[in-house]
Amino acid sequence: MKARCVLAMLLATSGVQAAPDGAALFAQHCAPCHQADGSGTVGLAPSLKGDHWARLGAERGYLAAVLTHGLSGPIKVNGQPFSGSMPAFAAQLDDASLAAVATHVRRLQGAEVAYSAEELKAAREKPGGPPQTRALRTQLLGP
């Protein structure tokens, strides 16, 4: 017990920070709408799983754009129409936290893909907003 306390104090004073917990951040910020397993909520938030992610996930910048710039307007997911708005999380979460969330989302989809803070920083710095993210989605999936 004493050794753990000493280790915790050393880590805290050394400036070393633990990597953000993508699952915990997802549970806090995303699961209220998308559910803990990413299955979505009928009429509110689409599933983050399904065949469409084979194409969306191939473009690494798509998920980063959704997290940093949001998504709005009508979309179809697994045959169900959704028309709403997903907020951007760039103002609430730093790049490392956004990368952890993106990595967790892809793991929920069965992909062992890791995102870096640098990728999310680059996405944050690109101009865009919810309508541009939807346009990217349409480009990747077709009308």
Side-chain angles (χ1 to χ4, degrees):
M1 178 74 169
K2 186 176 179 181
R4 278 192 269 175
C5 291
V6 170
L7 179 60
M9 285 176 34
L10 286 174
L11 287 174
T13 59
S14 71
V16 175
Q17 294 183 356
D21 182 343
L25 290 164
F26 183 89
Q28 180 182 359
H29 296 282
C30 311
C33 296
H34 291 286
Q35 303 305 311
D37 66 351
S39 62
T41 302
V42 175
L44 174 65
S47 174
L48 299 176
K49 300 176 181 183
D51 294 337
H52 62 290
W53 274 100
R55 288 185 279 168
L56 292 174
E59 170 54 55
R60 288 181 65 89
Y62 174 74
L63 182 54
V66 172
L67 291 171
T68 58
H69 297 296
L71 176 68
S72 67
I75 62 170
K76 266 194 176 175
V77 176
N78 299 330
Q80 292 184 327
F82 292 87
S83 185
S85 181
M86 186 187 130
F89 284 95
Q92 292 97 352
L93 299 173
D94 64 21
D95 298 328
S97 296
L98 288 169
V101 170
T103 299
H104 180 72
V105 168
R106 294 296 285 139
R107 287 190 177 138
L108 285 175
Q109 298 163 348
E112 285 300 318
V113 175
Y115 280 79
S116 69
E118 291 77 23
E119 286 177 282
L120 275 292
K121 181 179 189 284
R124 179 190 302 271
E125 292 172 350
K126 285 184 181 177
Q132 290 80 15
T133 306
R134 186 168 53 88
L136 175 58
R137 179 188 181 85
T138 300
Q139 176 186 340
L140 295 170
L141 294 177

